[in-house]
Amino acid sequence: MSHAMVDAATTPVGARIAIELHDVCVAYDRKPVLWDVDASLPAGQLIAIVGPNGGGKSTLLKSILGLVRIASGSISVFGKPVRDVRRLIGYVPQRESVDWDFPVNVADVVLMGRYGRLGWLRRPGREDRRIAAECLDMVGMTSFASRQIGQLSGGQQQRVFLARALAQESTLYLMDEPFAGVDAATEAAMVEVLRTLRNAGKTVIVVHHDLQSVQAYFDHVLLLNQRQIAAGPVREVFTSSNLQKTYGGRLTLMDEAAQALRLSDQPHGRPR
Amino acid sequence: MTFDLHIWPEGSEWWVVTAAALACAACAVIGTFLVLRRLSLLGDAISHAILPGIAMAFILSGSRDVWPMLLGALAAGLATAGLTAGIQRVARLGSDASLGVVFSSLFAFGVLLITWVADRVDLDPGCVLYGQIEFVPLDTTTVLGIDIPRAVLWLSMILVADLLFVIVLFKELRLSSFDPAMSTAMGFGAGVIHYLLMTFVAATCVAAFESVGSILVVAMLVAPGATAHLLTDRLSSTLVLAAFLGVTAAFLGFLGAKWFDTSVAGVISVAAGVQFLTAALLAPRHGIVTRWVRRGLLAIRIAREDELAALYRQHEASPEPSATLTVLPPSTLRQRLARRLLRLDQSVRRINGGLSLTPAGLEQGAAIVRAHRLWETYLAQKTDLPLDHLHEASHRVEHFVSAELAKRLSKAVQATQDPHGRPIPPV
């Protein structure tokens, strides 16, 4: 581990560990919402954070970003505290966190992705606009560039958010339920973009709610229900006993049946 | 007869108009951010909450000079914003409830302080801090050898400060108002920007209260921003329009006040309200009347196309060019209107007591029926809807099928007949 840390400190892009979570515990007021999170999330992979509603998935993402203060433990990103590597992190927040009536159009929103690189007071220039337009094109939303953001459908809004994250040209992406309210075709297109990022050596961490697609989309998974249930390669830790532990009684029979079917197709997925 | 211009401002009244315009523009620009951040009532809250600030300033300084009072008011304004945000976070209340708790408590605390010092001195905030716009020309000061009202000088400075703030920090303000989490994650602390904005709001409020009174300030922080928000889709245009609306309301309000011989601040506020009402009714996208008109026009278009399609179907049965189509007498107002429209745009003409389609009408009718039957065929091929369910769906869609979509549908279905065996009219 210490080797990886030293390595990361000098060359973040080549680091093997993207995020090191050490005994992380988060509390709102006195009520702990997240504890015992202790994992190393590998660089250059598609990583899912999976768990029930209220299981602390978004909270974990926000604590990595420094938006939520952790009560104890430590978090390092490429071996450094997050405030030193802000520019390396792209973020797709939850849909509900922004005001869709706000007077901005699609092109403005994507251009916001460039702000982090510019820093205080500097204005986006021609090069920034070009990159933003390119990113908008990558998600197939160019023809909507001058639309007010609230006029788009949920799926289109998520694509714009993805374009904004791309415009950040980050090494590490944190995405909070990017597939929420997205139709199947759009989801497939977005996953394609995520794979492109991964293949270019970037790390993509996604809060994900659909158990069915975890195995198809992701390399690595962190199962979370207030405490960490398991973390590791999908093949090793995405097992029905771990899922049962994660969701407790909340996993419906339907989910379980579907899960059982899926796992039975896999040569080495079955725990029993 | 000549037009009576007695309401036009003259002499020192221009100073009143100028002060009003400056105050309105400053409040409108900074207030737009309050509206967008759903903090519209902050101005109202600050107007009450500055009372303890004035009282404390008096107790500490022992004088009724304007400077300590202003500083006290500014501090109280900032405290309002800070306490509101703090309570919102700690007690998990909505911004409205936190704001309500903070300003009413501060106001009450102010009343207590005032009563406590009252036996020593007369400290009426009505006199100490709330100015009256009509009295602006009376209190002048000399700048570069020119006598100008103090209020105009102050308001110019505050407007320039507000504009500089918004222009210099435009990028940061836009990001943190739209998406505060993203803003903080990128290193533009949303909290820092919020307090910076609140400082400008409090300073604008206090300076404007002192010069033009609180009614005008409270109204102008909200109305122009809200109106501009209805009419624009980009922050820069929202801000420019809000400032323009503020200045316009100031001018119209002055004229109105002179006409009715009443309070200038009152009529300016009413003018801003009228602007909002007009926008709410007529805004291009969100306006109530606009939507109503748009829906009406759509209904008329659909009625016309339905009528045209009905005539075309009759024409199909006996396809001679000059055949008289025996149509049932129009039963509804809608149909009668549609038929009059068809005659007006020369899609049909009267012939032998009946109607006949002109070549233009024939072509349009064919296009609608074509869209209808293509859609029916498509649904029959791609879904398992029963045959008798196809008509309803297609009847609704036929009015919205563009030539381009029809071409693609035609390519997709590869058919000359619809599922009921009727011909699909060729292009």
Side-chain angles (χ1 to χ4, degrees):
Chain A
M1 190 188 87
S2 62
H3 169 72
M5 299 276 278
V6 172
D7 197 348
T10 46
T11 53
V13 185
R16 288 184 16 249
I17 302 299
I19 297 178
E20 190 73 55
L21 301 159
H22 185 64
D23 275 338
V24 172
C25 174
V26 180
Y28 289 135
D29 302 327
R30 250 170 261 149
K31 207 183 97 205
V33 289
L34 198 64
W35 63 91
D36 281 353
V37 183
D38 198 287
S40 303
L41 303 178
Q45 298 207 356
L46 278 176
I47 302 164
I49 301 179
V50 173
N53 290 331
K57 293 169 289 177
S58 294
T59 304
L60 180 61
L61 221 57
K62 285 182 186 153
S63 12
I64 295 172
L65 281 162
L67 299 178
V68 167
R69 194 168 301 162
I70 54 174
S72 65
S74 66
I75 299 175
S76 63
V77 179
F78 297 121
K80 293 177 184 175
V82 67
R83 60 173 181 279
D84 296 344
V85 286
R86 279 231 157 88
R87 272 185 43 190
L88 301 177
I89 308 179
Y91 178 44
V92 176
Q94 237 168 358
R95 268 177 52 72
E96 294 75 37
S97 73
V98 309
D99 174 7
W100 296 102
D101 286 333
F102 199 85
V104 283
N105 65 26
V106 169
D108 292 335
V109 172
V110 180
L111 195 59
M112 285 177 189
R114 305 299 299 164
Y115 287 7
R117 285 176 173 268
L118 292 167
W120 289 88
L121 305 184
R122 276 179 55 205
R123 280 160 193 268
R126 190 175 299 167
E127 179 66 2
D128 297 303
R129 275 170 225 287
R130 189 188 61 74
I131 291 168
E134 239 173 60
C135 295
L136 197 55
D137 194 48
M138 265 185 84
V139 300
M141 291 290 295
T142 302
S143 52
F144 295 87
S146 54
R147 289 274 193 100
Q148 194 266 332
I149 187 81
Q151 290 175 269
L152 306 182
S153 73
Q156 292 170 329
Q157 289 169 347
Q158 292 292 35
R159 272 147 78 186
V160 173
F161 267 22
L162 182 59
R164 182 175 73 170
L166 294 177
Q168 289 185 258
E169 297 189 315
S170 307
T171 313
L172 167 67
Y173 288 93
L174 302 179
M175 308 189 178
D176 204 343
E177 305 239 7
F179 303 125
V182 166
D183 62 82
T186 306
E187 182 167 324
M190 287 171 72
V191 168
E192 224 23 72
V193 175
L194 300 191
R195 289 201 174 119
T196 313
L197 288 174
R198 188 251 332 257
N199 296 342
K202 323 250 173 176
T203 311
V204 183
I205 300 175
V206 176
V207 169
H208 195 57
H209 62 279
D210 179 22
L211 293 178
Q212 315 304 324
S213 52
V214 170
Q215 286 159 311
Y217 295 169
F218 297 100
D219 311 315
H220 199 94
V221 66
L222 177 65
L223 293 168
L224 208 62
N225 185 359
Q226 304 203 307
R227 64 194 183 82
Q228 176 180 321
I229 309 294
V234 171
R235 261 191 298 196
E236 286 168 27
V237 302
F238 199 68
T239 63
S240 64
S241 76
N242 273 340
L243 283 176
Q244 199 56 50
K245 272 190 239 158
T246 311
Y247 285 84
R250 276 185 278 184
L251 195 64
T252 63
L253 285 175
M254 190 81 91
D255 288 331
E256 251 183 283
Q259 196 52 39
L261 276 176
R262 237 154 225 285
L263 291 173
S264 67
D265 294 341
Q266 287 219 328
H268 49 184
R270 265 195 91 98
R272 277 175 285 182
Chain B
M1 207 178 114
T2 54
F3 181 63
D4 185 5
L5 274 177
H6 77 274
I7 58 168
W8 196 255
E10 50 197 33
S12 72
E13 284 175 352
W14 278 109
W15 285 126
V16 176
V17 177
T18 309
L22 289 168
C24 288
C27 290
V29 167
I30 213 80
T32 299
F33 286 101
L34 294 184
V35 171
L36 293 176
R37 288 166 169 248
R38 307 188 182 212
L39 282 170
S40 303
L41 289 180
L42 192 69
D44 201 359
I46 289 181
S47 75
H48 287 83
I50 56 177
L51 191 61
I54 300 169
M56 290 295 282
F58 174 74
I59 292 168
L60 293 177
S61 74
S63 83
R64 273 169 52 182
D65 284 347
V66 73
W67 276 109
M69 298 286 161
L70 281 178
L71 286 177
L74 186 60
L78 280 175
T80 314
L83 286 172
T84 303
I87 286 181
Q88 209 175 324
R89 209 174 33 239
V90 175
R92 318 212 129 218
L93 283 172
S95 65
D96 53 345
S98 329
L99 203 57
V101 169
V102 169
F103 92 78
S104 51
S105 319
L106 281 178
F107 185 65
F109 179 58
V111 171
L112 287 180
L113 283 179
I114 296 260
T115 356
W116 183 55
V117 296
D119 30 310
R120 280 184 278 163
V121 70
D122 170 35
L123 192 65
D124 175 6
C127 308
V128 179
L129 207 78
Y130 293 137
Q132 269 221 14
I133 194 160
E134 285 86 350
F135 301 152
V136 159
L138 303 182
D139 181 7
T140 60
T141 182
T142 312
V143 179
L144 302 171
I146 310 162
D147 263 1
I148 70 165
R150 212 170 39 81
V152 170
L153 181 67
W154 281 51
L155 290 168
S156 312
M157 293 194 306
I158 210 83
L159 176 62
V160 169
D162 283 346
L163 289 178
L164 276 177
F165 170 63
V166 169
I167 291 168
V168 170
L169 280 179
F170 184 76
K171 166 174 124 259
E172 289 78 4
L173 283 167
R174 172 154 78 180
L175 178 62
S176 72
S177 304
F178 172 65
D179 191 347
M182 179 79 166
S183 182
T184 305
M186 278 184 159
F188 308 106
V192 177
I193 299 171
H194 180 78
Y195 286 112
L196 221 52
L197 177 65
M198 289 307 127
T199 309
F200 279 85
V201 170
T204 307
C205 279
V206 172
F209 287 154
E210 205 266 344
S211 326
V212 298
S214 66
I215 301 173
L216 190 60
V217 175
V218 171
M220 297 318 279
L221 279 173
V222 183
T227 312
H229 185 24
L230 281 178
L231 296 171
T232 53
D233 280 345
R234 290 191 81 190
L235 184 56
S236 44
S237 15
T238 312
L239 289 166
V240 171
L241 183 61
F244 173 78
L245 287 168
V247 172
T248 319
F251 194 72
L252 293 177
F254 177 84
L255 298 184
K258 211 168 164 192
W259 176 272
F260 292 113
D261 189 22
T262 179
S263 147
V264 173
V267 184
I268 293 177
S269 307
V270 170
V274 170
Q275 286 176 337
F276 179 78
L277 192 67
T278 315
L281 291 175
L282 299 178
R285 203 170 60 241
H286 313 284
I288 297 164
V289 173
T290 326
R291 261 183 286 176
W292 186 69
V293 167
R294 209 160 39 207
R295 243 174 265 160
L297 287 175
L298 180 65
I300 291 171
R301 178 169 77 84
I302 288 176
R304 178 183 169 277
E305 292 185 357
D306 281 348
E307 207 58 25
L308 202 57
L311 290 170
Y312 179 83
R313 289 194 174 93
Q314 283 219 9
H315 168 85
E316 264 186 326
S318 52
E320 298 132 53
S322 59
T324 311
L325 303 171
T326 49
V327 282
L328 290 171
S331 50
T332 63
L333 179 67
R334 226 173 134 246
Q335 280 177 316
R336 214 170 300 157
L337 200 70
R339 219 167 276 178
R340 168 147 314 164
L341 217 62
L342 285 174
R343 281 223 310 281
L344 274 175
D345 65 19
Q346 308 200 329
S347 302
V348 301
R349 57 171 176 262
R350 249 190 233 281
I351 203 167
N352 307 333
L355 293 172
S356 165
L357 286 165
T358 64
L362 204 62
E363 198 178 308
Q364 287 178 54
I368 298 156
V369 171
R370 189 171 128 79
H372 181 98
R373 292 185 183 157
L374 276 173
W375 191 246
E376 277 191 337
T377 317
Y378 183 78
L379 286 180
Q381 286 178 5
K382 305 286 166 187
T383 69
D384 1 298
L385 277 176
L387 275 189
D388 57 335
H389 278 59
L390 298 177
H391 177 78
E392 251 328 290
S394 308
H395 188 59
R396 252 175 276 143
V397 170
E398 66 190 20
H399 305 288
F400 303 98
V401 175
S402 63
E404 167 63 19
L405 183 57
K407 203 185 285 170
R408 280 167 52 199
L409 273 173
S410 164
K411 204 177 277 173
V413 300
Q414 294 292 347
T416 53
Q417 286 194 335
D418 74 1
H420 310 288
R422 286 174 302 228
I424 297 173
V427 187

